[in-house]
Amino acid sequence: MHLVWPAVVFSLLINVSLQLDESHPKKQSTDDVELEKRAAELVELYSIYPKDATVKTQADAINQLLDQYVLPANKTDIYASECNRHGMWTLFWNAPLTESKADILKQDPNIGYIGKSNELEYDPTLNYAADPSDLRRQKYAAEEMKFLSQPPELSLPNFEHYVYEESAGRGVNVYISDTGANLANQELTDGSNVAGRVRWLFGQGGGPINTDQVDLHIDGHGTCMLDKIGGYRYGVAKNVNPIVARAVHNHPDAFLDTVRQIDADYGPIYNQDPRTARAIINMSWGFPADQLRGIKDAWVNELRTLMQKLISMGATIVIPSGNAYPNKEVDKWPPLFAGEEGNNGIPELIIVGGIEVYRGRNGKLWDRSQTAPFVSVYAPSFIINCADGKGGMRNRLEVTGTSHAAAQVSGMGAYFLGIPSIRDYLHDDNGRNRVTKLKDHILRNSWVRDKTAGDFNAIYNNEDPRTCKKPPSDDDDEVAEPCQVTTTTTGANDVTVMGDCFIDTYTTVTPTNHPTPTPELQCSCAGAMVAGVASTEVMGTTYTWCQTSGPPVYPTGMQTVVSPPATAEQASPPEPTIEDPPAPPPGEPAPGKPEGKCNSDDASPLNVGNDC
């Protein structure tokens, strides 16, 4: 039997087959009186925490108490968050009890806290805020999407696209501890169909047990998190494998249970290959200490243990700093773990603050983004776009909050892990070290968009929209059309260069997402092997070309980019244009043209054998 909370009055129906003489009524037994008394009492859902979840005898004792004091008809509604990992047993129980029986349990030395569940209930608007050939481009992207691929020397209004690696987080598991998801929205079914890859977990507690695949939040908070991580138009890493860990009620019990469920799900994955296992966990929620009331110590200790264990297994945890005007200091758990000292602290956490990109405010701190020295990195949080979780198939919301900033950072972590060269570079046999390396890589690629607005280091995927030229056809997917990746190409067929080779083309390329992004020149010669690079300066302009004498050697991890073969009409690309200098005074030679060295037939600056 499932109960409707917060309170239900139970009536006891007794069918008596005996014919009673009204003049001689039967005297009730003590048991009958007790049953009627209990049936008349209000039965409500209680949250129960042990004094120490690591002590099995406490869990056993509490199970016995609940078996004794919960009415037989209500026992199917008892929920135990059984961990049985990391030295912890049962994290908490939800049990339907009368107030008198709860008072009895309060006296038991094994119980650290017992109280009505609805007194702990908290609205997790939380951080939602009231007030190369491998590249793809997303045309005419939203401001916060363009922001993600904005290089340091390019202002946001000067380009229109979000540019990203085709892998886009492919194969990376991202756990989303939140309010669920509405998978019917086309933002989640279009493109790579992230909705079709969702697995579900259900964190119970705070209300009746259920496994409904919906979004609990009134505005679809969980749907928005899924979209910002892996959605079609508004997702950072569009090919991730999402695991939605739904808290079935807006309650600290349920959110704690989602983390237990994630640990239970990821543990076997880790055990298959402890040296390489990775995951991203997005936890866009937080509870202030005064909301946690009497469960605070037990709840915080249990959550800390689970999070530390997950990190030790290579799982990166991303959490928002929280929302409070005006930029109030962080006051919620779990982000507070990042600021604790000693063994209680979790410095590997990525705590995310929010900045504005709306209408030109590129890099300004959002006035409700909570602050602390341990806030790691920033992402857009003010008036940004995501899928509507209310049920509409195409509906879009404009949303605000550090929750969304955290989801974008989770997507960025998955994005980097989806690129094989980066994943290999960040490898470490130790799970905790893998987490630290990924955090460092995210921070190292981030940069301050506007130093006049403050030192707010914001995420960047290390791509450059300028390398992604218009593809051959506009018929491609508007969100994932392939790039024709070419930067400065200056070469020509049948042009002799220092007597080394005939060059078809060469291309200068900034390596895509290389751990140490240093510009490199990569060359391609038809009918010859590339050995190196040469250059010369002509009238203040440096020209660079390829030399050959052996097989080409490309830097490890670099993206090899070669321009497409020239058509017949394009067999000889135009040579670089050099503006004519001002006319020299009478009797003096023209600058840059030594007498007797050049003639009109060999004036190409690439024909350096003639010293022109």
Side-chain angles (χ1 to χ4, degrees):
M1 182 178 84
H2 292 289
L3 307 177
V4 179
W5 310 114
V8 175
V9 177
F10 289 83
S11 60
L12 182 65
L13 302 179
I14 303 175
N15 181 21
V16 182
S17 60
L18 298 176
Q19 297 294 324
L20 301 178
D21 186 336
E22 292 185 2
S23 60
H24 298 90
K26 180 180 178 181
K27 184 178 180 179
Q28 285 185 304
S29 69
T30 303
D31 289 343
D32 291 336
V33 172
E34 177 65 15
L35 280 173
E36 288 187 359
K37 179 181 177 182
R38 291 172 66 177
E41 279 193 87
L42 201 64
V43 174
E44 297 183 86
L45 195 67
Y46 281 77
S47 294
I48 304 161
Y49 281 73
K51 278 192 173 177
D52 187 345
T54 66
V55 180
K56 188 176 186 301
T57 55
Q58 289 188 12
D60 293 340
I62 294 172
N63 282 326
Q64 292 176 8
L65 288 170
L66 295 179
D67 185 62
Q68 179 179 352
Y69 289 110
V70 174
L71 288 168
N74 299 336
K75 286 183 179 179
T76 56
D77 290 295
I78 298 173
Y79 179 73
S81 180
E82 295 179 353
C83 183
N84 301 332
R85 287 169 57 82
H86 317 311
M88 296 190 295
W89 301 96
T90 306
L91 304 183
F92 67 85
W93 292 258
N94 280 177
L97 291 164
T98 63
E99 187 172 3
S100 63
K101 298 309 176 186
D103 288 340
I104 294 173
L105 267 62
K106 284 179 183 178
Q107 310 307 315
D108 191 276
N110 296 294
I111 292 178
Y113 171 85
I114 181 170
K116 295 176 182 177
S117 287
N118 62 2
E119 292 177 353
L120 292 170
E121 189 162 341
Y122 182 60
D123 180 4
T125 50
L126 309 171
N127 300 299
Y128 196 70
D131 312 279
S133 58
D134 288 336
L135 285 184
R136 296 290 182 268
R137 75 172 185 176
Q138 178 175 329
K139 294 188 291 188
Y140 318 120
E143 288 289 287
E144 73 268 15
M145 298 305 299
K146 296 194 302 177
F147 180 93
L148 302 175
S149 58
Q150 178 192 6
E153 64 278 3
L154 189 63
S155 62
L156 203 59
N158 289 341
F159 62 99
E160 297 179 326
H161 313 307
Y162 168 51
V163 175
Y164 60 95
E165 280 271 356
E166 183 276 336
S167 55
R170 183 177 293 112
V172 180
N173 289 331
V174 181
Y175 291 90
I176 305 169
S177 168
D178 217 279
T179 60
N182 165 30
L183 302 184
N185 194 300
Q186 283 189 271
E187 170 66 12
L188 304 177
T189 58
D190 283 351
S192 70
N193 186 21
V194 70
R197 297 191 302 277
V198 167
R199 289 198 295 114
W200 288 84
L201 304 173
F202 298 94
Q204 305 293 341
I209 299 169
N210 75 73
T211 55
D212 298 334
Q213 296 182 4
V214 297
D215 193 328
L216 174 72
H217 192 268
I218 187 172
D219 286 324
H221 188 271
T223 303
C224 193
M225 299 307 103
L226 173 60
D227 188 24
K228 295 309 292 181
I229 291 169
Y232 177 54
R233 290 176 177 83
Y234 308 122
V236 180
K238 306 175 190 299
N239 292 323
V240 297
N241 294 333
I243 302 97
V244 173
R246 180 192 168 206
V248 300
H249 297 282
N250 302 342
H251 199 283
D253 289 0
F255 280 95
L256 175 62
D257 201 49
T258 63
V259 183
R260 179 191 68 81
Q261 297 268 11
I262 290 169
D263 174 70
D265 186 82
Y266 178 64
I269 297 173
Y270 171 80
N271 291 336
Q272 288 178 5
D273 193 351
R275 294 179 59 254
T276 63
R278 284 186 178 274
I280 307 291
I281 302 173
N282 190 83
M283 296 166 55
S284 285
W285 46 269
F287 293 89
D290 57 355
Q291 178 64 41
L292 294 172
R293 301 174 182 256
I295 71 169
K296 185 181 87 66
D297 290 344
W299 188 89
V300 166
N301 288 335
E302 293 169 3
L303 181 59
R304 179 192 292 113
T305 298
L306 288 170
M307 292 171 68
Q308 287 177 332
K309 293 298 183 180
L310 283 162
I311 288 171
S312 73
M313 294 189 293
T316 295
I317 301 177
V318 183
I319 305 169
S321 64
N323 309 325
Y325 181 84
N327 298 128
K328 183 180 176 183
E329 189 171 352
V330 174
D331 61 351
K332 298 179 178 69
W333 305 96
L336 282 171
F337 287 132
E340 289 190 322
E341 297 180 353
N343 293 333
N344 286 338
I346 312 180
E348 298 87 357
L349 296 176
I350 301 178
I351 310 301
V352 184
I355 57 173
E356 300 183 16
V357 298
Y358 183 69
R359 292 185 177 177
R361 287 172 281 194
N362 188 21
K364 176 182 178 291
L365 182 68
W366 178 50
D367 62 8
R368 288 166 175 76
S369 177
Q370 292 187 246
T371 59
F374 51 80
V375 175
S376 313
V377 71
Y378 293 81
S381 66
F382 179 67
I383 309 184
I384 58 178
N385 301 274
C386 72
D388 182 359
K390 296 177 181 178
M393 290 182 64
R394 291 181 176 271
N395 293 353
R396 172 186 65 88
L397 291 176
E398 288 188 340
V399 295
T400 295
T402 56
S403 282
H404 315 90
Q408 291 168 85
V409 175
S410 290
M412 190 65 74
Y415 176 86
F416 285 137
L417 290 180
I419 300 171
S421 62
I422 294 183
R423 187 183 180 101
D424 293 344
Y425 171 74
L426 299 177
H427 173 73
D428 194 288
D429 285 353
N430 179 277
R432 189 176 299 275
N433 291 345
R434 293 198 293 274
V435 170
T436 299
K437 283 188 171 185
L438 177 58
K439 177 179 177 179
D440 290 346
H441 187 74
I442 292 171
L443 301 189
R444 185 167 57 246
N445 282 280
S446 301
W447 63 281
V448 178
R449 299 306 200 267
D450 183 359
K451 290 186 180 296
T452 65
D455 191 20
F456 306 114
N457 205 35
I459 56 173
Y460 169 47
N461 70 356
N462 197 25
E463 306 295 358
D464 189 338
R466 293 168 298 186
T467 68
C468 186
K469 305 300 181 183
K470 182 179 179 181
S473 169
D474 276 337
D475 295 334
D476 296 295
D477 190 313
E478 65 177 6
V479 170
E481 65 177 8
C483 290
Q484 177 177 311
V485 183
T486 307
T487 56
T488 306
T489 301
T490 53
N493 292 329
D494 302 323
V495 176
T496 303
V497 179
M498 298 292 287
D500 290 313
C501 75
F502 290 91
I503 293 181
D504 268 344
T505 184
Y506 69 82
T507 305
T508 56
V509 176
T510 299
T512 299
N513 279 313
H514 192 263
T516 53
T518 303
E520 297 281 350
L521 182 72
Q522 298 178 30
C523 300
S524 172
C525 294
M529 293 298 179
V530 179
V533 175
S535 64
T536 191
E537 183 172 324
V538 179
M539 297 181 62
T541 300
T542 299
Y543 294 93
T544 310
W545 61 89
C546 302
Q547 294 176 305
T548 64
S549 64
V553 178
Y554 294 105
T556 301
M558 296 293 185
Q559 179 189 8
T560 303
V561 180
V562 178
S563 294
T567 62
E569 293 77 16
Q570 299 171 330
S572 297
E575 297 169 352
T577 301
I578 301 177
E579 295 182 2
D580 292 333
E588 293 187 16
K593 293 186 178 182
E595 290 186 15
K597 295 290 180 119
C598 298
N599 59 52
S600 60
D601 294 328
D602 58 18
S604 166
L606 291 179
N607 198 348
V608 295
N610 287 331
D611 294 329
C612 293

